[in-house]
Amino acid sequence: MPAPAYARLFRAGTPAATPRFAGLPKYNFVGGHNDPTRIPVDALADAAAAALRREGSGLALYNMGQGPLGHDGLRDMVADKLRRHRGVDPCTRDDVLITSGSLQGLDLVNDLLLEAGDTVIIEELSYGGAISRVKKRGVTVVPVALDAEGMRMDSLADALDALKARGVTPKYIYTIPTIQNPTGSILPLDRRHRMLELARAHGVPVFEDECYADLIWAGSGTAPPALYALDPAQVIHIGSFSKTLAPALRAAYAVAPQEVLWRLVSLKTDGGTGAVEQMMVAEYFSKHFDSHVAALSGVLEEKLRTMVEAVEREFGAAAELFIPKGGIFLWIRLPDGVDVAKLVQPAARAGIQFNPGPEWACDPASAKSQLRLCFALPSKEEIREGVAAFARVCFEETGIPAQSANVRHGAG
Amino acid sequence: MPAPAYARLFRAGTPAATPRFAGLPKYNFVGGHNDPTRIPVDALADAAAAALRREGSGLALYNMGQGPLGHDGLRDMVADKLRRHRGVDPCTRDDVLITSGSLQGLDLVNDLLLEAGDTVIIEELSYGGAISRVKKRGVTVVPVALDAEGMRMDSLADALDALKARGVTPKYIYTIPTIQNPTGSILPLDRRHRMLELARAHGVPVFEDECYADLIWAGSGTAPPALYALDPAQVIHIGSFSKTLAPALRAAYAVAPQEVLWRLVSLKTDGGTGAVEQMMVAEYFSKHFDSHVAALSGVLEEKLRTMVEAVEREFGAAAELFIPKGGIFLWIRLPDGVDVAKLVQPAARAGIQFNPGPEWACDPASAKSQLRLCFALPSKEEIREGVAAFARVCFEETGIPAQSANVRHGAG
């Protein structure tokens, strides 16, 4: 790609060109893709058509003439879901801002709160897109330790106290309490109360990301209420339909106190979020949310089981697994000697893509030997084959795992 | 709206909260709304349903697995349209990036090129959203004079020379050459060649915004080719389906040299543009673009005529009109004594909303007595009533127009 003559005018620090798209890998374990067989194609076609026939003429107006918070029907649906599933009560359409994906929610909240030199608190392992966005703004990230139940409150208290001693008020505590990304934990109720207590005491808002909270295994029990439900004045809450319906839709939401919500609107200068997707999701999920999500969670749990079996078979004791309570990914820790960054290229040559741990860590070096595998997109067969292929690549590059599926490597 | 306790943490300079949405005005002459009766509701319902049934399972993947430039079918449709209507040949899907509205195109190009302290060249009257975005970044705007045929090339040459004398290379020349916003002119071919000659000589890219270029009155003749068609290496071109189909859809595009296009992709960190809208527009417009746009233009031209008659009837010689060659708005100059900013509130009380000229001008004071009326949304009856009501407000506030529809004001 030759650069144009005016390339010297590009802003300093603008990122390099993305490599031209070369198609998807055979074994695709990255990102937030979902199961193509679980897209309710006919029902969505019916929903889109019905909604368009009923209210399509409203497309002639920005935001369908319904104002900048978004489609009334979708906001009703979100409010209903938050009341019934996340303990947010009362909750009405007036509390809900529809966003173009939860990434836009992240951007808007960051626009409202952050400038270079600021500090935020994030779980030590967290969503890569949240960490990278904050760092790109020149904001300092203070990590808080996780355990099997999510954010550790002693670590949060220590972090807040240490910052206070230095005269620093962090701009927010970013947390994924319900199906933590990437470890898949659910934060218990007592920790939720404690987090809010600390947030109030230090005057810091909690930024709650519940992208995966609707996808919980039947056996995982009921998740505690959202943090936003426990103290709406202290929390900015975002959620999405990317994981429960489809990521190629850009339909997500933010819920926050009125003053915050309408400030986010002032920062949302995009001419509105696409209305057809909003009306389609409203039409379909107003009727089918619970049944759709229950069926999808069942399929995902089966795929998780397939992946866990495959990883245990191929990696044996070399892999420490964080079994998630829901969601679409499995977090894995390999022995300290393994540098997963060095596996990216060889894996790609074998048709395998995965999320290297360092991109999901506040301190990248701390997750040098960790990685995330998404199990939602590939079939069970592809999961088995892909994990086996990945184990071969890993052995060839690092000598680990020494044995796969009862076959000792390097013995032949 | 009480502010939350953490409001003191808001970034300095963050805009105030948007006032709560209070519904649309009775006489809505603002923005880029379109004619609700011209939304092809049934055809869009059929198109959305057909596309979803055929390719809906692809929604399980970000960007439907088709890569970050957007939906293949929509990019084919855009390339075909640019080849047939805008003289861009060759043009293929590989040249096209789908964006979430052309506002996102503006943002991405600004992200690529601009930082505080930079300078850009913009037509003295131009799209308010383009001017405000640039100013918000701390970028200096140098205006270029317009006449009835669009940007004046002597003024552009002077502006470039004056900047060069000061050692300043502007980051781009932003132009709306085909149905200029807000004056409705079409830039002749010789000026297009001259603009590109100047751009090349000064090493400055042209940023061409063709949001309205597909809506030209039958009697206005064929527009010259897009600037991008004449020199693709020198031009970044954006266009949209907001005006030709519906603004509540967020489907637009950018066309540029490969290196620029893939840098814009790097800056487009939104997880993709909504796929359902892309597939629906592709499905409908692949078959019906020419007929839809021809019919819509006919309806819009009739509404323009209604508005021109109404303004002439109500304002008489007090209003100087810029009759557009296409598009959806009428630009009006009132006598110098009128300060349109002072009409906003009284007009709103009378149920009227319009775009004050200062928001559409690089130098707001220069357009103190000018305003823009969009005629696409209201019915002909509403246009007549609304313009009459606006003339009354204007008279009450300024004494102008002294006479409306043969009635001398203030006589009773």
Side-chain angles (χ1 to χ4, degrees), chain A residues 95-116:
Chain A
D95 301 310
V96 179
L97 168 65
I98 302 297
T99 60
S100 306
S102 64
L103 286 169
Q104 188 180 47
L106 287 172
D107 285 340
L108 292 175
V109 172
N110 286 342
D111 283 345
L112 178 63
L113 287 161
L114 302 187
E115 55 199 321

Side-chain angles (χ1 to χ4, degrees), chain A residues 259-283:
Chain A
E259 168 73 14
V260 173
L261 210 63
W262 287 98
R263 282 199 178 241
L264 298 180
V265 168
S266 297
L267 294 162
K268 189 175 183 291
T269 58
D270 62 356
T273 289
V276 175
E277 307 205 348
Q278 291 186 71
M279 61 172 94
M280 182 187 82
V281 176
E283 186 80 12

Side-chain angles (χ1 to χ4, degrees), chain A residues 41-90:
Chain A
V41 169
D42 287 328
L44 290 181
D46 293 343
L52 280 162
R53 282 186 222 283
R54 192 177 60 240
E55 44 180 320
S57 66
L59 294 174
L61 287 95
Y62 280 93
N63 290 305
M64 302 193 76
Q66 298 179 1
L69 291 181
H71 184 264
D72 288 346
L74 186 57
R75 289 188 294 131
D76 284 341
M77 184 264 143
V78 169
D80 176 66
K81 171 176 96 74
L82 290 173
R83 275 196 311 270
R84 291 191 301 111
H85 290 290
R86 306 303 305 124
V88 182
D89 200 357

